[in-house]
Amino acid sequence: MELATAAEMREMDRRTIEDFGIPGRVLMETAARGAVSVLLKLFPGAASRRIGVMAGKGNNGGDGFVMARCLKQMGAEATVYLLARAQEISGDAAANLALLPKMGVPVTEIPDSDSFGRARPGMEWCDLWIDAILGTGLNSEVRGLYRDAILFLNEARGPVFSVDVPSGLFSDTGAAPLCVRADATATFGLPKIGQWVYPGASFRGVLEVVDIGIPLHVVEAVNPRHFLADESWARGILKPRKPTAHKGDAGHLLVVAGSPGKTGAAFMASHAALRAGAGLVTLAAPTTVSGVLEGRVTEAMTEALPASSSGGLSEAAFEPVMRLLEGKRALALGPGMGTDPETVRLVRRLVVESPVPVVADADALNALAWDASLLKNARSAVILTPHPGEMSRLSGRSTAEIQADRIGSARAFSETHGVWLVLKGAHTVSASPDGRAGIVASGNPGMASGGMGDVLTGVTGALLVQGYGPDEAATLGAYLHGLSADILAAGGSPVGYLASEVADALPRAVSRCLAPHPDGGPKP
């Protein structure tokens, strides 16, 4: 499912109005009536309740005016609290405001904070609130009268239903310095990025998308650059294995990982790759730990590589690794490798010269952080899977800056360096060099434990060797990883499950995405 920026939604509205002759007032009417349907579905008794509509002076307020009129016709006791003077309203919103007195809908004008204070006692009687204050165009912190209104709604005794976006949410980034905490949101046309990026995702409540009549041709012409990687998306990407498939068809992954004290990371990456469907996995580790790993892995093959004086991988391992890559389809690099200077130099050479796609995580990312510009010289596709701290080291930006705009940070790095990037977190973001970005709709807080990144490395590598391109492998790997954890959490383990258990749940995640569609129809 596509996700839209504020600018993309404005362009879709403009094209629908100008190129297809659908008036803006019709779009507003359709949107608001759709929102009423969502409201009644989520709050079945709303038509018999006392409803307050907190309305701003833009089109978001206009949507609220239409909703008030529709609910009044259904028998609800609806009152509009207009955070402006009526003469300040213009366009389609003004036309709908003018209809309210004719329908018997009271309108209380509240042009400033003093009048808000005077009106407040009368607002306390409302059982349910419609938040129609601010729409998708906000990009600065709310102040003054609108701030008063948002604070009031967040203290209201009844549920709050937001129109398009919760007021105060930055729809392109998910930032929410001061935001309505909605119980539900009806968003128009397409979901907005900020509704799926934290902290914004925690303010939207139940999210429903309302079709407002934007033609598919218009959506395709605008071509939104963001998408939601959910189960429906995964069903369209994941390919069932042919009945005649053999292990060679499923590909061979080389995992280069491990150092003294960090054999678990190497094991989990290779184990996860097999659980995610790789036909063959070879785990290559320094001689100091290869014996330990050989005794631990069963299905994977092992290779011993030259070790440095500290026990990590030596730079002399470069040629052996290049030989091992013959016949392999991808290289997974980094889990538990350590940061010995020789290991750092080895990683940097392998990333640049590998003849097959590379998945780099953990200590491989730390090695690349010394000079990320070398990524532009990589011979093959490179997928990086940093958490925010690793992303900070790679990009030279603070973790706070990255978290303030996760999608923008991921895309900028991906486009600049020509790599595919998976920025882990809630929700994980994937970015491609062409500017496309996905938000992964799986995962849960129970994943906040050691080893999860090692599992993701293995899953992503496994998808590469099975024939998925870097675009698909990066995002699908993150989705299946999170879905495996969701399966464990739903089974009664919201926290305390292990990364190795997430790896073991991968076949169930894959099975879910390959199963017949829940509506009984064919898979999309």
Side-chain angles (χ1 to χ4, degrees):
M1 178 186 295
E2 290 93 350
L3 301 174
T5 65
E8 287 166 346
M9 280 308 311
R10 284 195 299 270
E11 179 63 11
M12 283 185 260
D13 286 345
R14 184 193 68 78
R15 291 187 182 217
T16 300
I17 293 167
E18 296 180 6
D19 298 349
F20 285 82
I22 301 176
R25 191 168 171 184
V26 171
L27 289 179
M28 182 175 288
E29 186 82 14
T30 303
R33 287 185 176 275
V36 168
S37 296
V38 173
L39 176 68
L40 295 177
K41 181 180 80 171
L42 298 178
F43 305 99
S48 61
R49 301 171 76 174
R50 295 170 295 187
I51 299 174
V53 179
M54 195 74 77
K57 57 185 180 181
N59 283 342
N60 198 250
D63 297 325
F65 304 152
V66 179
M67 290 184 71
R69 169 163 48 87
C70 293
L71 289 164
K72 176 68 175 180
Q73 287 180 298
M74 295 175 182
E77 189 176 347
T79 300
V80 170
Y81 295 92
L82 177 60
L83 302 176
R85 297 193 185 280
Q87 56 264 36
E88 297 177 60
I89 313 304
S90 60
D92 297 329
N96 280 303
L97 177 62
L99 295 177
L100 295 182
K102 300 175 184 179
M103 297 294 299
V105 178
V107 177
T108 300
E109 296 181 27
I110 305 176
D112 52 46
S113 292
D114 288 341
S115 55
F116 187 90
R118 291 192 294 271
R120 182 164 182 151
M123 293 189 254
E124 301 290 349
W125 60 268
C126 293
D127 301 315
L128 184 150
W129 278 95
I130 293 173
D131 157 35
I133 305 171
L134 293 164
T136 59
L138 183 71
N139 56 17
S140 60
E141 186 173 350
V142 180
R143 302 184 187 279
L145 176 60
Y146 283 9
R147 177 183 177 85
D148 295 340
I150 290 174
L151 291 174
F152 173 83
L153 291 181
N154 285 344
E155 297 172 357
R157 63 184 177 88
V160 176
F161 182 89
S162 286
V163 177
D164 206 12
V165 295
S167 294
L169 176 67
F170 292 18
S171 66
D172 287 358
T173 66
L178 176 67
C179 186
V180 168
R181 190 172 294 279
D183 295 279
T185 300
T187 197
F188 302 142
L190 292 174
K192 313 307 182 289
I193 296 165
Q195 294 166 336
W196 281 98
V197 177
Y198 284 97
S202 63
F203 287 89
R204 60 171 166 81
V206 177
L207 181 66
E208 295 272 350
V209 181
V210 174
D211 181 1
I212 62 173
I214 296 175
L216 178 60
H217 172 78
V218 169
V219 178
E220 292 174 344
V222 173
N223 190 26
R225 296 193 301 166
H226 308 83
F227 64 96
L228 183 66
D230 57 5
E231 186 171 325
S232 177
W233 173 87
R235 285 174 177 273
I237 299 296
L238 197 61
K239 299 183 283 284
R241 191 166 287 183
K242 295 179 181 179
T244 57
H246 55 79
K247 61 186 178 184
D249 294 331
H252 194 162
L253 175 69
L254 178 63
V255 178
V256 177
S259 63
K262 297 181 179 179
T263 56
F267 167 78
M268 283 188 285
S270 57
H271 181 66
L274 289 163
R275 284 297 196 185
L280 294 165
V281 173
T282 295
L283 173 56
T287 54
T288 48
V289 298
S290 58
V292 173
L293 288 167
E294 187 169 352
R296 187 169 185 185
V297 299
T298 304
E299 292 84 358
M301 296 169 280
T302 59
E303 289 282 347
L305 296 174
S308 68
S309 59
S310 66
L313 281 168
S314 165
E315 192 173 6
F318 176 78
E319 291 299 337
V321 171
M322 294 297 282
R323 287 193 293 272
L324 286 171
L325 284 172
E326 295 176 11
K328 310 301 188 297
R329 293 184 186 172
L331 168 64
L333 190 64
M337 290 182 73
T339 55
D340 181 289
E342 285 199 58
T343 306
V344 169
R345 290 193 293 271
L346 171 67
V347 167
R348 292 163 64 80
R349 289 188 68 188
L350 288 174
V351 168
V352 172
E353 300 185 41
S354 172
V356 297
V358 177
V359 183
D361 185 42
D363 288 325
L365 298 176
N366 293 325
L368 294 170
W370 288 77
D371 181 10
S373 64
L374 64 82
L375 289 165
K376 296 178 183 178
N377 302 320
R379 178 178 168 187
S380 304
V382 177
I383 300 175
L384 308 181
T385 59
H387 58 58
E390 291 164 337
M391 185 66 185
S392 175
R393 292 189 286 276
L394 280 168
S395 64
R397 303 177 66 204
S398 71
T399 301
E401 288 178 293
I402 290 163
Q403 292 293 78
D405 185 5
R406 288 171 52 79
I407 288 184
S409 299
R411 180 191 291 114
F413 191 92
S414 179
E415 290 180 315
T416 300
H417 295 89
V419 299
W420 285 260
L421 191 134
V422 178
L423 178 57
K424 295 178 288 197
H427 290 276
T428 290
V429 171
S430 68
S432 303
D434 65 0
R436 289 271 291 167
I439 299 176
V440 177
S442 65
N444 61 79
M447 300 177 76
S449 66
M452 294 293 176
D454 306 315
V455 171
L456 177 60
T457 301
V459 176
T460 308
L463 292 171
L464 285 171
V465 301
Q466 290 175 81
Y468 294 89
D471 274 333
E472 297 172 330
T475 310
L476 184 58
Y479 178 76
L480 291 174
H481 182 233
L483 180 60
S484 298
D486 290 343
I487 288 170
L488 293 174
S493 303
V495 296
Y497 54 82
L498 306 177
S500 57
E501 293 174 313
V502 171
D504 288 335
L506 283 164
R508 294 162 63 191
V510 171
S511 177
R512 178 180 294 186
C513 294
L514 289 175
H517 198 267
D519 64 7
K523 295 189 293 291

